[in-house]
Amino acid sequence: MRMRTARTAGVLVLLTAVVMCAASAQVSLQEFERALYSIPASNPEFLLSTIELGMTQEDFPAEQLLGLIERLAEHPGEPFEKDAVLNVLAHALEVGLPIEGLVNKAFEGLARRIPLHQLESWLSQRMVLLAETRDLLYSKGIFSAPSRAPQTVPTAIPMPRFNLLLIHMSEAIGDFLEGGGSPFDGHVLYQEVYNRLTMLQGVTLVPDDVQLVLERIEPSDLTQVALAAVS
């Protein structure tokens, strides 16, 4: 039964990656350029270069990002504030982080009418959590690997699956901190991450990936990740 669940989860993840790849292919760089100039962005060349880099990733949320840029163009805020929001996403792309969760958080912030300067700060903290979570997994010997490469190392997880782990681990920590939780409550942080990952295993996350992470991380590790985001 466990093997069947894992196989089903793997198929779901693969199908998600295929859909995301197709979405990226359907959005051209010229469409991003037009959207950025409609803001107008002060550094469109830099933003476009990072978007072009992101478009090489098979799980790049092209349509969602384009929609966010168009939403920002219609926002009554100042262009420099919109720039600040987009620069967070650009810097995340620049260092190879997945931005799907950040884009979703940006839409959430706009829907909640959070001021753009606060939204930029919010996204910056989430980006730090992504980076620190990735570093934590690396330190535990869990790495991202090209999805089509032979998986000869058990702890080398195909990139789309690895990115999903990053997103959901960091979001569990971010939601805990946003709700007033203390970064020093490592055991509570671990429980939050445990609950998020186990809830999604077999649906969004591959059970073997979840088990690998939960066996290797400790509450003190998550405290360090959380402290990096609030310092």
Side-chain angles (χ1 to χ4, degrees):
M1 178 64 71
R2 179 177 175 178
M3 289 181 61
R4 181 179 301 173
T5 302
R7 189 181 302 114
T8 301
V11 170
L12 288 172
V13 170
L14 178 60
L15 288 173
T16 300
V18 170
V19 170
M20 293 304 299
C21 234
S24 296
Q26 291 169 4
V27 179
S28 69
L29 198 61
Q30 288 70 32
E31 289 176 272
F32 282 111
E33 184 176 17
R34 284 195 295 270
L36 288 171
Y37 277 103
S38 69
I39 285 181
S42 63
N43 55 351
E45 294 81 9
F46 168 66
L47 296 173
L48 282 170
S49 68
T50 59
I51 290 170
E52 188 172 19
L53 180 65
M55 292 174 78
T56 64
Q57 302 171 4
E58 60 186 272
D59 55 356
F60 179 65
E63 290 186 348
Q64 295 96 317
L65 178 57
L66 180 61
L68 175 63
I69 296 171
E70 292 171 340
R71 179 81 175 274
L72 284 170
E74 298 171 355
H75 194 280
E78 296 291 337
F80 76 89
E81 293 180 311
K82 302 173 187 181
D83 263 351
V85 170
L86 292 176
N87 271 310
V88 176
L89 301 177
H91 287 305
L93 287 171
E94 196 174 28
V95 295
L97 292 170
I99 65 164
E100 182 180 356
L102 296 176
V103 171
N104 290 337
K105 285 295 177 184
F107 273 119
E108 179 186 336
L110 292 174
R112 290 166 54 183
R113 298 184 179 180
I114 293 176
L116 291 182
H117 71 277
Q118 291 183 19
L119 179 58
E120 183 270 335
S121 178
W122 190 26
L123 293 178
S124 293
Q125 184 185 73
R126 296 287 176 143
M127 182 182 70
V128 171
L129 287 173
L130 277 169
E132 292 292 327
T133 301
R134 181 176 65 180
D135 289 349
L136 169 61
L137 293 181
Y138 284 175
S139 73
K140 301 297 181 179
I142 303 172
F143 298 94
S144 170
S147 58
R148 294 176 181 82
Q151 194 169 353
T152 56
V153 180
T155 58
I157 300 174
M159 182 178 289
R161 286 163 43 189
F162 183 87
N163 285 347
L164 284 172
L165 286 170
L166 278 187
I167 291 169
H168 289 293
M169 287 180 67
S170 64
E171 285 188 353
I173 299 169
D175 291 348
F176 175 75
L177 295 175
E178 187 181 330
S182 169
F184 295 102
D185 289 335
H187 290 283
V188 182
L189 271 170
Y190 183 90
Q191 192 62 47
E192 292 291 326
V193 171
Y194 176 91
N195 290 343
R196 173 75 69 97
L197 298 189
T198 55
M199 177 182 68
L200 294 173
Q201 68 178 350
V203 180
T204 302
L205 304 175
V206 174
D208 287 346
D209 296 347
V210 172
Q211 190 66 25
L212 176 64
V213 169
L214 295 179
E215 285 176 351
R216 297 197 175 201
I217 63 171
E218 299 177 359
S220 60
D221 298 323
L222 300 179
T223 288
Q224 294 304 312
V225 169
L227 283 173
V230 299
S231 61

